[in-house]
Amino acid sequence: MRLLVSGGGTGGHIYPALALIERLKQVEPDTEVLYVGTTRGLENKIVPDAGIELETMHMQGFKRSLSLENFKTIYLFLSSVHHAKKIINVFKPDVVLGTGGYVSGAVLYAAAKKHIPTVIHEQNSVVGVTNKFLSRYVDQIAIAFEAARNQFPADKVTMAGNPRAQQVAAKKDSDFSWTSYDLKDDIPTLMIFGGSQGAPKINKTVVDAIPEFNKRPYQVIFATGQKRYDDVKKQLAENNIRPADNVKVVPYIKDMPAKMPRVAALVSRAGATTIAEVTALGVPTILIPSPYVTANHQVKNAQALVKNNAGLMITEDKLDARALLTQADKIMEDEEVRKEMAHAAEKMGRPDAADRLIKILHKAIDEHEK
């Protein structure tokens, strides 16, 4: 298969695409892939580091208020469509997959106008502006949350899940040991992180909670985010707080999927990739949705788990040390609660999500060949 993939800006658009590509190359080794992203997005580092060829184009989003910048956005979109058609003419893809971000709007629109098979993958429960726009032009739509289904033309939608789920499920039998962090393997572990950059409100809350975490019968590993680590250390020093042996504060956690199967519970944001990972692995989760995302979609993502008793949610406006400790104790101090939540999470998981999406890609190709 010759696959052209477009998705940019954030890891939430990029990592599902990379997981899909990884699986596709396993099952169809002769696959050739070209990734089209933006000049400024995270894909500029992540995609080449994964050994995938990358083409970029300059894009920007629409302003929500009346602005002359929107005229520039329209110009950039039209010029990007023209650029995308040139890329398509050279690469000659069998199918084009969009995973979100403004760049995928131009690329998939161009592909649809050239009658190339097209598929979009919507990771969230609330559909993004780009995918709403594209839904009338593409052949197939893959979703990861049932809540997204009625936001698209019904005849195009198939439940796939998030390919990242299959990627992490493959690491479920990880032999990782907590002793590498000076923690113990026979004590339940709570992992806390607010994303790769860290989240100030989550970090401050955990700092305030550490004196109580020090007394708990479980252990805690807290990743602050690389650029916020020094700030957290400063807060600890200023408040004369010393983590006990059962609490470890680190800047980041490498290879998270290898470690997540060994956690008893997780505290995190409610991004689509995180939801895919915890449901694939069956990890009870305390979700703290980011309030800084479009259409508050992380709250909707979290509600899907809460509704199925697979997770708990604390909105950021209600987040403090007491709220965090109450929810953490509820899970960590009751093994039966953990087992029930883990089972509920696993029931929601799509550990074959990449395979499902590959079938949808082939369906789009087959429909064009009829």
Side-chain angles (χ1 to χ4, degrees):
M1 182 189 294
R2 294 181 66 80
L3 173 66
L4 193 154
V5 181
S6 183
T10 68
H13 295 145
I14 302 162
Y15 289 116
L18 297 187
L20 180 277
I21 292 165
E22 180 183 286
R23 179 59 178 164
L24 185 57
K25 288 186 173 182
Q26 289 171 358
V27 297
E28 299 181 30
D30 60 343
T31 293
E32 292 188 44
V33 179
L34 175 64
Y35 198 109
V36 181
T38 62
T39 52
R40 293 186 295 177
L42 291 176
E43 61 271 25
N44 281 273
K45 174 169 172 49
I46 296 171
V47 173
D49 284 355
I52 297 163
E53 184 180 354
L54 174 70
E55 290 257 7
T56 61
M57 53 180 67
H58 182 47
M59 292 288 294
Q60 68 179 31
F62 281 96
K63 304 291 183 187
R64 293 188 178 271
S65 57
L66 288 173
S67 170
L68 291 174
E69 277 292 297
N70 284 336
F71 290 102
K72 182 181 177 183
T73 301
I74 293 168
Y75 169 77
L76 286 172
F77 176 79
L78 294 174
S79 62
S80 293
V81 169
H82 181 67
H83 186 180
K85 286 181 178 179
K86 287 184 176 180
I87 292 171
I88 290 166
N89 287 341
V90 173
F91 184 67
K92 295 181 170 50
D94 295 313
V95 61
V96 180
L97 171 67
T99 59
Y102 295 109
V103 66
S104 70
V107 174
L108 269 83
Y109 180 78
K113 289 300 180 182
K114 290 183 67 63
H115 305 291
I116 306 292
T118 47
V119 177
I120 56 176
H121 181 264
E122 174 57 63
Q123 300 91 31
N124 288 295
S125 52
V126 178
V127 175
V129 172
T130 300
N131 282 348
K132 273 188 179 174
F133 163 73
L134 289 172
S135 64
R136 72 194 79 171
Y137 301 106
V138 300
D139 298 298
Q140 296 291 325
I141 299 168
I143 59 171
F145 286 89
E146 277 297 335
R149 187 180 293 274
N150 63 7
Q151 299 170 61
F152 286 125
D155 59 329
K156 295 182 179 182
V157 178
T158 304
M159 168 56 73
N162 190 316
R164 180 73 168 170
Q166 187 161 345
Q167 193 176 46
V168 300
K171 298 189 177 185
K172 197 164 189 175
D173 297 325
S174 165
D175 59 358
F176 167 76
S177 171
W178 287 115
T179 56
S180 61
Y181 284 93
D182 294 325
L183 294 171
K184 297 177 180 178
D185 287 326
D186 59 350
I187 296 178
T189 303
L190 176 68
M191 180 188 286
I192 305 174
F193 76 109
S196 58
Q197 299 302 312
K201 181 70 181 288
I202 293 175
N203 286 356
K204 174 66 167 61
T205 299
V206 177
V207 166
D208 292 343
I210 283 177
E212 290 300 316
F213 278 137
N214 285 344
K215 306 172 189 175
R216 294 309 192 256
Y218 52 87
Q219 58 192 14
V220 176
I221 182 162
F222 165 41
T224 64
Q226 184 75 57
K227 73 176 185 179
R228 303 194 192 279
Y229 181 68
D230 289 342
D231 184 51
V232 167
K233 297 292 276 187
K234 183 179 176 184
Q235 289 178 45
L236 290 168
E238 287 176 349
N239 291 280
N240 199 26
I241 296 171
R242 286 189 178 182
D245 289 345
N246 68 318
V247 178
K248 297 300 173 190
V249 180
V250 298
Y252 65 99
I253 298 171
K254 287 183 179 178
D255 194 11
M256 188 83 73
K259 297 171 178 63
M260 281 177 60
R262 304 303 306 275
V263 304
L266 178 73
V267 177
S268 77
R269 291 302 199 189
T273 300
T274 298
I275 302 286
E277 292 170 350
V278 299
T279 55
L281 295 169
V283 177
T285 309
I286 299 167
L287 295 157
I288 305 169
S290 171
Y292 312 110
V293 295
T294 307
N296 215 19
H297 69 252
Q298 285 203 7
V299 168
K300 305 288 196 311
N301 291 352
Q303 285 171 342
L305 267 70
V306 173
K307 185 175 68 175
N308 287 281
N309 299 314
L312 302 173
M313 176 171 65
I314 308 171
T315 55
E316 191 156 304
D317 61 317
K318 302 284 177 61
L319 179 64
D320 59 23
R322 182 186 294 273
L324 178 61
L325 287 158
T326 299
Q327 300 292 56
D329 289 347
K330 189 181 296 185
I331 298 174
M332 298 301 295
E333 294 186 345
D334 191 327
E335 187 175 359
E336 198 55 41
V337 167
R338 287 204 305 277
K339 284 180 179 178
E340 288 174 5
M341 289 183 71
H343 180 63
E346 203 163 14
K347 278 174 67 177
M348 293 180 66
R350 307 279 177 185
D352 61 344
D355 290 342
R356 288 173 178 238
L357 186 50
I358 290 168
K359 285 181 181 177
I360 295 167
L361 294 174
H362 278 290
K363 183 179 179 182
I365 294 169
D366 293 344
E367 286 178 350
H368 274 254
E369 290 177 350
K370 288 178 182 176

